[in-house]
């Protein structure tokens, strides 16, 4: 007889409370023994937190092989998100993205994907040896941002690489731009390919009203969802959702290749509690978030020179839809790079936005925000325009450069390499990632040709204060390139 799922239930939370009330004497890990062995940490985090920082035990199930409370919590999450299965991930959406790629592809298999993917996807290619077939995204030259995947470009890639195993999409992008996910899914399925969706910034699509279509509703096979971003769970907690035609037992095996055997019950319980909140209250929560974002956009656009963009960008293809909860703001009209506005907001106004890049910044709005906070942001931006506005000449006006791929990420990353000063790398083949974080989209990936335009971009990003990562040289003054070229 099929069990009835009750979205009011929180199986992991309830089990943790039961264990806490039993007052068990711990002769297991963690070694702080409910906080007593680490008084300074307990004073900082509190006894309530330390009491439930526990390891797997029979009453609490096991994340690697769930048979009781974690299994039940995952089943509730699957129902709430409209998926066949849901997996609790404690390695962030990075681990969920990598599990998707490694489930769908083995060494030598082709994966069709946009080049402006998160670094986690590139790293998955390095690990498993799959071969990327990149679709270079089109660019909005006014905003300087890359767009979604064009259906026409996807059709072309599918025809030219009919042996590919899967198609991967970012949906939505960091800026809120959505592709025609349903149409692309139908095209890929017609050719027997799986559809993987990096849905890190789309948790709310499953619960809010008047939202872009979610990956599961569009028929995708797998989706990685950052519950900690817009879903309210703790940082590093995430979900991997799968559709009905995916072997969930194999997915679990893939996850267990890299995920810890000591899953944090703080993270797991936060997923459980947040799922309940979204299932019961999500529509109202995200109506409020959408209203806050709309008000903020209207007020910012009244200031002048800034452009807080939204659904007016929709073009039926590369911007098929837009996530109206995103407060993405173009700053080039003020004569400042997005990262410069980011720094001024933080250093001068004690306002921390999500990220800034060459021409834009993103202020992440969630259920935790208030009208007062929005007013403070708008006021600060008005001040910045008055105090810091300058001529925009000399500003770079794009955040993406189409790469020339010479060899696969895995081959390049593990090849013999040499460290060369950045300005001497022209024409070389990169053997490591170079990216600005956030958003974590590589400027260069292993196996790509280093051009003068890319070198100029890296130098410009460094000069503007972007936080560049991925390189062996922490100062990014040198790059690892392949010895002898290709």
């Amino acid at each position: 007889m099929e069990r009835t799922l009750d979205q009011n239930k929180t199986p992991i939370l309830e089990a943790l409370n039961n264990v806490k009330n039993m007052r068990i004497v711990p002769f297991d890990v963690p070694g702080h023994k409910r906080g007593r062995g680490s008084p300074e940490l307990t004073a900082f985090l509190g006894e309530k937190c330390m009491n439930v920082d526990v390891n797997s035990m029979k009453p609490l199930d096991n994340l690697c092989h769930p048979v009781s409370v974690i299994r039940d919590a995952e089943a509730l999450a699957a129902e709430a998100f409209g998926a066949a299965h849901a997996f609790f991930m404690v390695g962030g959406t990075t681990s969920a993205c990598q599990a998707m790629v490694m489930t769908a592809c083995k060494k030598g298999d082709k994966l069709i994907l946009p080049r402006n993917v998160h670094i986690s996807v590139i790293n998955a290619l390095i690990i498993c040896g799959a071969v990327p077939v990149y679709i270079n995204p089109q660019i909005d030259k006014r905003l300087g941002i890359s767009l979604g995947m064009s259906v026409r470009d996807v059709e072309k890639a599918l025809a030219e690489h009919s042996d590919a195993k899967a198609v991967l999409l970012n949906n939505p992008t960091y800026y809120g731009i959505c592709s025609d996910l349903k149409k692309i899914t139908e095209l890929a399925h017609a050719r027997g390919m799986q559809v993987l969706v990096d849905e890190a910034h789309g948790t709310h699509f499953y619960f809010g009203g008047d939202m872009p279509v979610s990956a599961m509703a569009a028929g995708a096979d797998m989706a990685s969802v950052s519950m900690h971003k817009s879903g309210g769970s703790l940082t590093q907690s995430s979900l991997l959702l799968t559709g009905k035609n995916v072997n969930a037992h194999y997915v679990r095996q893939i996850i267990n290749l890299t995920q810890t055997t000591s899953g944090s019950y703080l993270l797991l319980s936060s997923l459980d509690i947040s799922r309940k909140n979204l299932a019961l209250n999500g529509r109202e929560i995200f109506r409020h978030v959408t209203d806050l974002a709309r008000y903020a956009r209207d007020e910012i656009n009244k200031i002048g020179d800034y452009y807080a963009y939204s659904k007016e960008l929709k073009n039926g293809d590369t911007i098929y839809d837009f996530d109206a909860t995103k407060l993405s703001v173009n700053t080039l009209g003020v004569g400042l790079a997005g990262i410069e506005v980011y720094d001024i907001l933080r250093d001068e106004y004690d306002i921390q936005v999500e990220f800034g890049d060459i021409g834009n910044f993103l202020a992440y709005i969630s259920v935790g925000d208030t009208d007062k906070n929005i007013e403070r942001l708008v006021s600060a931006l008005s001040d910045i325009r008055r105090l810091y506005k300058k001529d925009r000449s000399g500003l770079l006006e794009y955040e993406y450069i189409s790469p020339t791929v010479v060899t696969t990420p895995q081959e390049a990353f593990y090849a013999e390499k040499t460290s060369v000063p950045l300005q001497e790398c022209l024409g070389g083949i990169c053997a490591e990632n170079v990216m600005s974080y956030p958003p974590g989209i590589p400027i260069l990936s292993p196996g790509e040709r280093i051009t003068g335009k890319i070198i100029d971009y890296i130098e410009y990003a460094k000069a503007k204060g972007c936080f560049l990562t991925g390189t062996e040289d922490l100062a990014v003054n040198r790059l690892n390139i392949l010895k002898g070229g290709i």
Side-chain angles (χ1 to χ4, degrees):
M1 185 176 177
E2 191 172 316
R3 291 175 299 153
T4 302
L5 299 178
D6 182 353
Q7 292 294 335
N8 285 283
K9 297 290 186 181
T10 48
I12 297 174
L13 174 64
E14 292 159 18
L16 280 169
N17 281 328
N18 289 337
V19 167
K20 186 170 62 173
N21 293 335
M22 291 167 69
R23 306 184 69 84
I24 292 171
V25 178
F27 284 101
D28 62 349
V29 297
H32 62 67
K33 301 299 177 79
R34 312 300 192 262
R36 289 187 293 276
S38 188
E40 186 175 3
L41 184 59
T42 301
F44 178 62
L45 294 179
E47 288 186 14
K48 285 185 177 180
C49 175
M50 299 297 279
N51 268 332
V52 293
D53 181 37
V54 294
N55 198 25
S56 295
M57 59 183 79
K58 277 192 176 181
L60 295 179
D61 208 355
N62 186 296
L63 182 60
C64 296
H65 191 87
V67 294
S68 58
V69 295
I70 295 176
R71 176 201 61 191
D72 293 345
E74 289 184 337
L76 285 163
E79 182 186 70
F81 281 82
H85 292 88
F87 299 87
F88 281 13
M89 309 295 292
V90 295
T93 307
T94 286
S95 62
C97 284
Q98 292 176 347
M100 287 197 304
V101 173
M102 293 165 66
T103 297
C105 299
K106 299 184 289 294
K107 184 176 177 65
D109 287 344
K110 291 181 181 178
L111 175 66
I112 296 171
L113 69 165
R115 171 54 181 75
N116 59 324
V117 290
H118 189 265
I119 188 66
S120 58
V121 175
I122 303 294
N123 286 343
L125 298 176
I126 292 173
I127 294 168
C128 74
V131 178
V133 175
Y134 291 127
I135 296 176
N136 286 315
Q138 295 178 27
I139 304 296
D140 184 306
K141 293 183 178 177
R142 175 188 176 189
L143 301 177
I145 62 174
S146 49
L147 305 179
M149 290 175 80
S150 165
V151 170
R152 183 177 298 175
D153 289 344
V154 173
E155 284 180 313
K156 184 172 183 289
L158 292 173
E160 293 177 354
H161 302 275
S162 58
D163 56 340
K165 297 295 183 182
V167 177
L168 185 143
L169 300 86
N170 310 319
N171 203 76
T173 68
Y174 228 130
Y175 303 100
I177 290 167
C178 299
S179 303
D180 189 349
L181 184 55
K182 197 168 191 315
K183 178 65 174 176
I184 292 171
T185 298
E186 290 170 354
L187 290 170
H189 282 172
R191 290 184 175 268
M193 300 179 197
Q194 289 191 316
V195 176
L196 323 177
V197 183
D198 178 353
E199 207 170 25
H201 299 276
T203 305
H204 44 291
F205 289 3
Y206 292 87
F207 302 99
D210 191 30
M211 293 282 175
V213 66
S214 69
M216 290 296 106
D221 298 285
M222 288 183 268
S224 54
V225 177
S226 287
M227 278 288 276
H228 67 92
K229 289 188 170 72
S230 60
S233 64
L234 290 178
T235 296
Q236 201 176 309
S237 59
S238 182
L239 294 175
L240 174 57
L241 308 176
T242 62
K244 60 184 179 181
N245 295 320
V246 175
N247 182 345
H249 302 296
Y250 180 64
V251 174
R252 180 83 67 188
Q253 288 183 316
I254 294 291
I255 291 170
N256 288 341
L257 291 176
T258 55
Q259 181 157 264
T260 178
T261 56
S262 304
S264 166
Y265 279 87
L266 298 175
L267 300 181
L268 295 173
S269 60
S270 79
L271 285 169
D272 202 17
I273 295 166
S274 299
R275 178 272 313 155
K276 172 187 173 183
N277 186 37
L278 295 183
L280 300 180
N281 308 305
R283 182 167 287 268
E284 177 59 25
I285 286 171
F286 294 119
R287 182 200 62 75
H288 176 63
V289 171
T290 302
D291 288 346
L292 281 176
R294 182 184 301 113
Y295 174 74
R297 270 193 298 274
D298 290 345
E299 293 301 303
I300 290 169
N301 286 333
K302 287 176 186 176
I303 296 171
D305 295 319
Y306 297 107
Y307 177 32
Y309 41 94
S310 186
K311 287 183 180 288
E312 73 277 1
L313 297 179
K314 287 166 58 174
N315 62 15
D317 188 23
T318 53
I319 313 174
Y320 185 77
D321 208 344
F322 190 89
D323 175 11
T325 71
K326 294 287 187 295
L327 183 57
S328 303
V329 182
N330 185 267
T331 62
L332 295 175
V334 191
L336 297 171
I339 187 63
E340 291 178 307
V341 175
Y342 170 102
D343 285 338
I344 296 168
L345 284 169
R346 184 197 60 227
D347 297 341
E348 303 295 330
Y349 296 90
D350 295 329
I351 294 173
Q352 181 65 60
V353 295
E354 174 66 11
F355 82 93
D357 62 18
I358 298 303
N360 303 266
F361 73 84
L362 173 69
Y364 218 96
I365 297 179
S366 76
V367 66
D369 284 304
T370 63
D371 293 340
K372 184 178 179 181
N373 285 350
I374 298 294
E375 296 289 0
R376 185 172 167 183
L377 173 63
V378 172
S379 176
L381 290 173
S382 179
D383 236 21
I384 289 169
R385 176 181 180 272
R386 178 175 59 85
L387 296 171
Y388 295 95
K389 181 181 175 180
K390 57 187 178 182
D391 186 85
R392 67 184 287 170
S393 60
L395 288 176
L396 281 184
E397 299 188 352
Y398 49 82
E399 60 88 36
Y400 175 77
I401 300 170
S402 297
T404 299
V405 179
V406 181
T407 187
T408 69
Q410 187 184 67
E411 289 171 343
F413 186 82
Y414 289 111
E416 261 196 280
K417 62 196 77 169
T418 184
S419 176
V420 175
L422 179 59
Q423 289 296 334
E424 298 175 21
C425 289
L426 182 64
I429 298 161
C430 194
E432 59 187 349
N433 287 300
V434 186
M435 66 176 178
S436 181
Y437 185 85
I441 296 168
I443 301 166
L444 266 174
S445 282
E448 296 175 356
R449 183 81 65 188
I450 301 169
T451 65
K453 188 177 283 190
I454 288 172
I455 292 173
D456 290 345
Y457 183 95
I458 293 171
E459 293 284 23
Y460 182 86
K462 286 169 60 181
K464 289 297 183 183
C466 292
F467 182 57
L468 297 182
T469 71
T471 51
E472 191 174 307
D473 173 23
L474 297 183
V476 200
N477 292 322
R478 306 175 69 89
L479 294 181
N480 285 337
I481 67 172
L482 266 62
K483 271 190 176 179
I486 289 288

